[in-house]
Amino acid sequence: MAWAADGDELLPESEFPHTMSSNLFLSDGTVVGRALTQFGDTADGFTASLTVYLPTTCPEEVLEHHLRHYAVEFRNWITAAAAAGA
């Protein structure tokens, strides 16, 4: 989380207390991007801010793959939370 601590994208902890960050890297360990996800509870459920940093030279299919990954991952989390009554 240290790399995101002073980022403009980091939202107020009072509204977004659940924050995760990670590096995106190649199989050889080279960092090629970063992700910052922030969540906060609301009266009706939750709100989220999802930020991904990729190089401008990154192929379009890499971005599309990551967007599909987010869609599946967060759908699974939301479905599991709803089933658990959380």
Side-chain angles (χ1 to χ4, degrees), residues 73-85:
E73 181 177 20
F74 290 104
R75 181 192 181 281
N76 289 344
W77 287 354
I78 292 165
T79 301

Side-chain angles (χ1 to χ4, degrees), residues 4-79:
D6 61 354
D8 291 337
E9 295 85 355
L10 197 59
L11 300 170
E13 187 175 349
S14 61
E15 296 176 49
F16 294 85
H18 310 289
T19 303
M20 297 178 288
S21 67
S22 61
N23 288 325
L24 309 174
F25 52 90
L26 301 175
S27 59
D28 68 0
T30 302
V31 175
V32 294
R34 293 185 167 154
L36 173 62
T37 58
Q38 300 168 97
F39 299 92
D41 295 324
T42 67
D44 298 323
F46 75 96
T47 186
S49 174
L50 311 175
T51 305
V52 178
Y53 303 89
L54 294 169
T56 57
T57 57
C58 183
E60 183 70 22
E61 63 264 16
V62 172
L63 176 59
E64 289 299 321
H65 175 80
H66 191 75
L67 292 174
R68 284 192 303 274
H69 165 78
Y70 262 0
V72 170
E73 181 177 20
F74 290 104
R75 181 192 181 281
N76 289 344
W77 287 354
I78 292 165
T79 301

